[in-house]
Amino acid sequence: MKKRAPMSLRLHVDVLNVTPISQDCCWSSFQAAGFRTFIVAEPGGNRVVFVNLDACMASQLVTIKVLERLKSRYGDLYGEQNVAISGIHTHSGPGGYLQYVVYIVTSLGFVPQSFDVIVDGIEQSIIQAHENLHPGTIFVNTGELLDAGINRSPSAYLNNPAEERSEYRYNVDTNMTLLKFVDDDWGPVGSFNWFATHGTSMGRTNSLISGDNKGAAARFMEDWAKQKSIAEQIDSTYPRRRISEHELRQLASSFEASGGSQSTKSFSIRNSFRQGNTSQPKFVSAFCQTNCGDVSPNVLGAFCIDTGLPCDFNQSTCNGKNELCYGRGPGYPDEFESTRIIAEKQFNKAVDLFSAATEELKGKVDYRHTYIDMSSITLSNGGPEVVRTCPAAMGFAFAAGTTDGPGAFDFKQGDNKGNAFWKLVSSFLKTPGQEQVNCHKPKPILIDTGEMTQPYAWAPSILPIQIIRIGQIVILCVPGEFTTMAGRRLRDAVKKVLIKAGHGEFDDNVHVVIAGLTNSYSQYVTTFEEYQIQRYEGASTLYGPHTLSAYIQEFSELASALATGQNIPAGPQPPDLLNKQISLLPPVVIDSTPNGVNFGDVSTDVPQNSTFKHGEMVSATFWSACPRNDLMTGGTFSLVEILHGESTWLPVYDDDDFCLRFIWSRPYNLSSQSYAKIEWRIPQTAVPGVYRLRHFGASKNVSGLISHFAGASRAFVLA
């Protein structure tokens, strides 16, 4: 009998409600952030860990601290060599957890609360996966997914050689690669897939914490794997007598809003609701990011918000103004609908690949990892000339933003000259030397981040690169966002090295995928030709025009070492800047309510004697307190409950469901009072019955004491 490699998957939700993306003025969530982890181990041999994080990107500092904790707990079993932590590039995740200045400006500096809960969550996810290793089989499948992404910088893509472009049908990667995990005892227990599209279905004005289209797709697939909706599970566990709509209304009328009261944390409620009491492993599905650098989910294209006409092709401007040019998602103008549509496209393709997966992964579990100094890598330019990378710098077009989130002022994509006024402004930060200017040409330098070190480093120079192998799948863990063509070149180069150096161990069937935004973050990577155009991605390619060539050179060395069984030097160590971080986000001072009002009381209730239908929105607003008092990790701020019998309320939907939104706000910035609005878009899978909305929270008094509270809305009928 074949000896199966132990494997484990673990869904650890949630970071969920971390801290505000920016200031403490508005805060909300509609789909939880979380951690999904797989561990694959050879019996008595190598093992690898891959963590998919529902946040914008990985953080070097988070990775350092997670590895320190794993070292303390497991010794040398898990380390930088075999642990990968990858972000999905949602623009709606928490902020303030990266260590370099330029990446934490918008969150008012470092946010310890965000950082701590992310590190804790990743650690717990890995621990749970480690403790649940079981023998099993892994299958791989690939397939084409169309209309889930378009190239948002097509003018830059067109600057790639025509001969190279002719090899590909589309100017974006349309391939999804999926791993199917099957437990020897329990059967299918999870899947991880990689597909290139940005997590920017939710626009720049969105203030809700969200996993965007990839986070939503993961929840859709995990719910699909249950074979029954949550409501159906409750029905089978707690059979209900079918009653008429008139009887439902009578029942609902007897339940007015409960009023706010002291409460325990919502963890136990959510835990029993999501995890259940079965010993069977919960299905885990992760929708991971790959070379999405120039790929937008706003597939209708970019249009001017003042005229409705298409934006300028080369610069994505409207009458010279970049801030008027926005990409439109398939559900335009409803960004929630756009998110759902792109999520469902990925989910449906993943289900197809999962159901048809038959190619079993066979072979070694292995890995290679090293650190490289991207500010000073020398390489041959295909001839006698030797070129190098540069200390990091961002170009003028960086400030123009993209059609997924335009910048401001008079910056434009495609600007390879800059202008005198902004050059003067940038000189107050640092004026780059002539060598730096020449190194980055034709990029005009707006911010010379790589040479700015006060109060501490503005951008990374030491970066991790890593290869993970599981049989015939090879995962390239990159600390940035590769554009479509840049990713193709890297994959092709690594595949050629593996086949040549592997002496038969690898063949054309090897699956090479890129895991973007992994272990650290260093913005974008374009091809040399795309860099010349200086769209947003080129201006955000930090280390100059030869950045991609440097990655190809360094990954080729890693791949050769992997294929030949050779070790590779660890490289220079990245800095740990935790003790240098500056935090400017003010703490919560005190929460309050008007006289005679309790925390959790309803401010605006569901209409009396109301009946709703599928697809309609139900909402209620509660007197609340700042969510930063307790992030409810493992719990929930909002809940939909269904009435069972005449007096028992059972949970059916919470913060982790796409259909439920939790929106927190203050009446004005410095107010100590706040509201929590809960909105439930009734899904088609919801069963008829009597429902109510609930809110959980925690308030802080003048002495700093935290007290938990809960409240419930008036009951209503779903007919």
Side-chain angles (χ1 to χ4, degrees):
M1 182 176 179
K2 183 177 178 181
K3 192 172 185 180
R4 298 294 189 186
M7 64 178 193
S8 178
L9 298 97
R10 179 57 54 184
L11 166 67
H12 180 78
V13 178
D14 50 334
V15 168
L16 180 58
N17 308 303
V18 201
T19 55
I21 296 174
S22 55
Q23 299 184 44
D24 185 5
C25 61
C26 57
W27 193 97
S28 47
S29 71
F30 78 94
Q31 196 273 331
F35 314 93
R36 293 165 171 89
T37 297
F38 74 70
I39 297 177
V40 178
E42 292 179 324
N46 289 336
R47 60 180 60 199
V48 292
V49 180
F50 189 93
V51 181
N52 193 63
L53 172 63
D54 276 2
C56 190
M57 68 282 288
S59 157
Q60 183 68 73
L61 189 57
V62 167
T63 302
I64 289 171
K65 296 308 175 184
V66 168
L67 293 177
E68 286 179 357
R69 294 191 184 187
L70 294 177
K71 173 77 172 178
S72 176
R73 182 179 293 271
Y74 298 114
D76 294 331
L77 190 61
Y78 302 114
E80 61 192 20
Q81 292 278 332
N82 64 344
V83 175
I85 301 171
S86 183
I88 61 169
H89 206 134
T90 170
H91 280 199
S92 301
Y97 65 95
L98 288 89
Q99 72 171 349
Y100 296 102
V101 172
V102 76
Y103 304 134
I104 57 175
V105 170
T106 58
S107 58
L108 295 183
F110 188 71
V111 182
Q113 199 172 24
S114 286
F115 176 78
D116 290 341
V117 77
I118 290 174
V119 172
D120 289 345
I122 294 172
E123 180 193 22
Q124 289 303 312
S125 181
I126 294 172
I127 290 171
Q128 291 179 33
H130 172 84
E131 293 176 350
N132 285 275
L133 279 166
H134 290 96
T137 306
I138 306 172
F139 299 91
V140 62
N141 200 4
T142 62
E144 188 174 65
L145 171 58
L146 301 178
D147 301 324
I150 62 169
N151 196 303
R152 69 185 185 189
S153 291
S155 60
Y157 181 88
L158 286 173
N159 205 46
N160 291 307
E163 182 180 3
E164 181 181 34
R165 287 187 281 111
S166 69
E167 297 176 14
Y168 304 98
R169 186 174 179 183
Y170 303 102
N171 63 0
V172 295
D173 275 346
T174 57
N175 193 63
M176 176 183 283
T177 300
L178 177 138
L179 298 183
K180 176 180 180 178
F181 295 85
V182 181
D183 187 286
D184 281 358
D185 294 325
W186 296 104
V189 291
S191 69
F192 277 56
N193 71 72
W194 290 264
F195 176 76
T197 194
H198 254 87
T200 50
S201 293
M202 298 299 297
R204 62 178 297 177
T205 59
N206 170 58
S207 63
L208 282 72
I209 298 281
S210 163
D212 209 276
N213 56 64
K214 287 190 176 290
R219 170 51 60 214
F220 294 163
M221 191 157 185
E222 286 165 353
D223 286 343
W224 165 82
K226 294 177 181 178
Q227 300 300 320
K228 296 181 179 181
S229 71
I230 295 169
E232 287 172 331
Q233 289 185 61
I234 289 173
D235 240 12
S236 62
T237 306
Y238 307 96
R240 293 184 295 122
R241 179 176 62 89
R242 300 297 179 184
I243 59 177
S244 68
E245 185 175 334
H246 174 71
E247 290 177 294
L248 289 175
R249 287 176 179 167
Q250 284 188 317
L251 270 175
S253 66
S254 63
F255 292 96
E256 289 295 321
S258 66
S261 60
Q262 287 192 346
S263 171
T264 59
K265 287 184 65 171
S266 57
F267 173 79
S268 59
I269 295 174
R270 186 183 187 280
N271 188 57
S272 60
F273 165 45
R274 281 286 172 201
Q275 303 301 324
N277 297 316
T278 177
S279 59
Q280 182 174 351
K282 296 299 175 183
F283 191 91
V284 179
S285 179
F287 285 69
C288 311
Q289 196 54 274
T290 179
N291 56 317
C292 69
D294 52 0
V295 186
S296 169
N298 297 311
V299 294
L300 298 186
F303 295 85
C304 299
I305 59 175
D306 56 343
T307 65
L309 297 174
C311 305
D312 174 80
F313 180 78
N314 291 314
Q315 294 190 314
S316 296
T317 56
C318 302
N319 295 318
K321 296 183 180 296
N322 71 285
E323 59 264 40
L324 299 178
C325 177
Y326 280 86
R328 293 180 179 177
Y332 175 82
D334 186 339
E335 60 188 354
F336 293 96
E337 182 65 6
S338 292
T339 303
R340 184 193 64 78
I341 292 171
I342 298 298
E344 284 198 343
K345 286 178 179 291
Q346 294 177 81
F347 155 64
N348 289 329
K349 174 52 65 174
V351 169
D352 290 344
L353 295 177
F354 183 87
S355 301
T358 57
E359 181 186 346
E360 183 179 345
L361 293 187
K362 298 177 181 179
K364 297 178 181 178
V365 174
D366 208 351
Y367 44 82
R368 291 296 184 275
H369 175 287
T370 190
Y371 291 105
I372 55 176
D373 185 350
M374 279 299 294
S375 68
S376 59
I377 292 177
T378 59
L379 58 154
S380 171
N381 198 24
E385 181 186 5
V386 174
V387 296
R388 67 177 182 85
T389 56
C390 326
M394 298 191 298
F396 273 66
F398 159 79
T402 71
T403 55
D404 292 337
F409 303 107
D410 56 349
F411 294 102
K412 299 178 180 65
Q413 293 196 70
D415 184 356
N416 59 10
K417 292 184 174 63
N419 66 59
F421 174 75
W422 288 112
K423 285 181 180 178
L424 177 64
V425 171
S426 68
S427 69
F428 285 102
L429 292 174
K430 180 171 187 315
T431 302
Q434 192 59 48
E435 183 180 0
Q436 176 79 327
V437 171
N438 292 339
C439 190
H440 280 274
K441 282 183 177 180
K443 178 203 293 177
I445 296 174
L446 177 65
I447 309 176
D448 190 14
T449 53
E451 298 184 321
M452 297 168 64
T453 58
Q454 297 299 323
Y456 49 91
W458 280 54
S461 59
I462 309 300
L463 291 171
I465 60 171
Q466 180 183 37
I467 298 181
I468 288 174
R469 177 194 178 185
I470 308 171
Q472 63 269 35
I473 187 164
V474 175
I475 304 170
L476 311 182
C477 302
V478 301
E481 304 173 64
F482 281 58
T483 61
T484 299
M485 194 64 84
R488 288 168 175 168
R489 290 185 189 177
L490 177 63
R491 290 197 306 263
D492 289 347
V494 168
K495 185 173 182 177
K496 288 178 182 177
V497 170
L498 291 173
I499 293 173
K500 182 177 180 180
H503 299 296
E505 188 168 350
F506 297 94
D507 56 30
D508 283 336
N509 291 327
V510 63
H511 302 273
V512 180
V513 298
I514 290 174
L517 307 104
T518 300
N519 294 328
S520 186
Y521 183 64
S522 58
Q523 294 174 247
Y524 285 74
V525 180
T526 63
T527 67
F528 179 86
E529 294 83 359
E530 291 165 352
Y531 186 91
Q532 308 307 306
I533 302 302
Q534 281 297 292
R535 294 275 297 191
Y536 172 83
E537 295 82 12
S540 303
T541 296
L542 294 185
Y543 308 104
H546 305 293
T547 299
L548 174 60
S549 296
Y551 273 116
I552 290 174
Q553 172 180 287
E554 300 302 314
F555 264 102
S556 294
E557 291 186 13
L558 270 191
S560 178
L562 181 77
T564 58
Q566 301 298 308
N567 293 325
I568 198 161
Q573 290 295 304
D576 179 344
L577 301 178
L578 182 59
N579 293 332
K580 295 180 179 292
Q581 297 300 312
I582 296 174
S583 302
L584 300 177
L585 184 68
V588 180
V589 178
I590 187 175
D591 298 290
S592 69
T593 58
N595 289 333
V597 174
N598 295 322
F599 291 106
D601 279 356
V602 175
S603 171
T604 304
D605 208 346
V606 177
Q608 195 166 15
N609 298 321
S610 55
T611 299
F612 294 89
K613 299 184 182 302
H614 293 98
E616 294 183 335
M617 179 79 80
V618 187
S619 67
T621 302
F622 299 82
W623 288 100
S624 190
C626 184
R628 291 167 58 203
N629 293 325
D630 188 328
L631 304 182
M632 298 293 180
T633 304
T636 186
F637 286 103
S638 53
L639 199 63
V640 176
E641 296 180 321
I642 189 171
L643 183 65
H644 172 66
E646 296 185 353
S647 60
T648 302
W649 291 97
L650 303 174
V652 283
Y653 301 97
D654 70 356
D655 281 348
D656 199 34
D657 285 291
F658 188 79
C659 61
L660 190 62
R661 305 172 195 168
F662 168 75
I663 306 169
W664 178 85
S665 64
R666 297 189 188 276
Y668 53 89
N669 280 348
L670 298 179
S671 174
S672 61
Q673 298 177 3
S674 62
Y675 304 100
K677 185 177 184 181
I678 296 175
E679 296 179 343
W680 183 40
R681 177 73 68 182
I682 304 175
Q684 296 300 319
T685 53
V687 298
V690 176
Y691 289 85
R692 70 177 183 179
L693 306 178
R694 291 196 74 190
H695 169 43
F696 299 89
S699 63
K700 185 177 185 180
N701 65 19
V702 68
S703 64
L705 181 66
I706 302 295
S707 299
H708 290 85
F709 62 86
S713 74
R714 177 184 289 127
F716 56 92
V717 171
L718 171 60

